[in-house]
Amino acid sequence: MMTGFRLNLSPLKEPLGFVKLVEWLTAIFAFGSCSGFSGKNVMSLLCGDGRNDTLDANFHYPFRLSAVPLIEGNATLCNQSATTTHMVGDSASSVEFFVGVAVVCFLYSMVALLVYLGYMHVYKDSDFGPIFDFLLTAVLVFLWLVCSSAWAKGLQNVKDATDTAGIGNTLAVCRGANVTCEVTEFASMRPLNISVVFGYLNMLVWAGNAWFVYKETRWHSQKFSTQPGPGRQQVPSPI
C-alpha cells in the first residue's frame, strides 16, 4: 500500500471535505469573537447635592470579574469615603472551556484536511482512520453542546454583573438614600453574543459531519452489504 503524500483537491468538492473546511472556519469565529474581548461600562452616580461622579467598570477576557477593581485605594464618592471594591463574578472557567474546545476543533480540522487532501488513499484503505475520525467527531459534538451552554450561562452572568443592578449592589455608596447609580454607557456585547451563536452552529455542523464520516466506516458498508437486494430471496438454512 502506497503511503506517500498525494495532493488531491477533489475531497473539497465532496461533503466530507467541504464540511471539514466549514468546521475550520466556524471554529475560528467561535474563539476569535470572545478571546480578545475587552469592554467598559460607565457608572454614573447622581449625588443628593446635585453633583455627579462616574466610575469605569473595565472587564475583559477571561472575565474574572472578582479581580477587576471598581475602586482602587481610598476614594471619595458623593462626599462618602469608599475603599477598594471589586466587581462580583467569575466566568473564566466557562469561557476558557469554550475557547479550548474551539482551538482543539480548529487544530483537528486542519489535520483532517491534510489527511483528506494528501492521504485519502491511506484513509480509505484502513479501518482505523474512518472509525477514529467518526468517534472523535461524535465526542466533539457533545463537547460543543456542553461548552456552548456553559459559556451562554457565563455570558449572562457577565451581563448581570456589569449592569446597573450588578454594579449598584456591589458599591456601598449606591445603597445610600440620596444617591442614584445608573450605568449610562454600555460596552457592546455583540462579539460575545456572536461567539455563543457560533458555538451552537459548530455543534450542528459537527453533528452533520458525523454522518458523512460514518459513511466512510466499515459499520456503514457492512450494514448495506448484509441487506438482501431487491428480488433476492433468502434461502432457509437446512435443519
Side-chain angles (χ1 to χ4, degrees):
M1 180 179 63
M2 299 295 294
T3 59
F5 180 83
R6 302 178 188 173
L7 181 60
N8 181 10
L9 299 181
S10 60
L12 291 178
K13 302 177 183 179
E14 302 174 359
L16 182 67
F18 178 76
V19 175
K20 189 62 68 178
L21 180 62
V22 173
E23 291 172 346
W24 180 72
L25 293 174
T26 53
I28 294 176
F29 283 108
F31 69 77
S33 55
C34 66
S35 59
F37 180 87
S38 62
K40 180 180 73 173
N41 286 3
V42 177
M43 171 71 86
S44 296
L45 291 79
L46 308 179
C47 308
D49 57 4
R51 55 191 293 267
N52 296 340
D53 288 332
T54 59
L55 282 176
D56 293 340
N58 297 285
F59 53 99
H60 53 81
Y61 176 88
F63 307 106
R64 290 189 175 91
L65 302 181
S66 57
V68 177
L70 283 171
I71 303 173
E72 294 187 80
N74 296 322
T76 301
L77 298 172
C78 293
N79 297 324
Q80 300 181 34
S81 60
T83 58
T84 300
T85 305
H86 292 79
M87 301 178 69
V88 177
D90 189 346
S91 296
S93 59
S94 60
V95 71
E96 287 176 343
F97 177 37
F98 179 83
V99 170
V101 171
V103 170
V104 168
C105 291
F106 166 76
L107 296 175
Y108 179 66
S109 296
M110 287 198 303
V111 174
L113 282 173
L114 176 64
V115 173
Y116 293 167
L117 301 181
Y119 297 94
M120 182 58 80
H121 55 290
V122 179
Y123 179 88
K124 289 190 174 183
D125 285 343
S126 66
D127 291 333
F128 174 78
I131 291 177
F132 176 82
D133 196 8
F134 171 72
L135 294 178
L136 186 55
T137 299
V139 170
L140 291 174
V141 172
F142 175 73
L143 289 179
W144 271 120
L145 173 62
V146 175
C147 74
S148 299
S149 301
W151 171 224
K153 181 61 171 63
L155 176 56
Q156 186 59 50
N157 292 339
V158 172
K159 293 179 179 180
D160 293 340
T162 57
D163 65 7
T164 297
I167 299 178
N169 292 333
T170 304
L171 295 173
V173 66
C174 292
R175 295 192 289 270
N178 298 322
V179 179
T180 302
C181 299
E182 183 179 1
V183 175
T184 54
E185 295 183 23
F186 289 90
S188 175
M189 297 287 192
R190 182 176 300 175
L192 302 182
N193 294 330
I194 291 175
S195 69
V196 174
V197 172
F198 270 101
Y200 286 110
L201 177 61
N202 269 285
M203 181 196 68
L204 296 176
V205 172
W206 281 82
N209 188 46
W211 165 248
F212 297 111
V213 177
Y214 172 73
K215 290 175 66 177
E216 300 295 330
T217 66
R218 69 169 184 266
W219 301 328
H220 181 267
S221 58
Q222 288 176 352
K223 176 182 177 181
F224 282 90
S225 63
T226 56
Q227 292 180 355
R232 181 185 300 174
Q233 295 182 352
Q234 294 183 344
V235 179
S237 58
I239 301 178

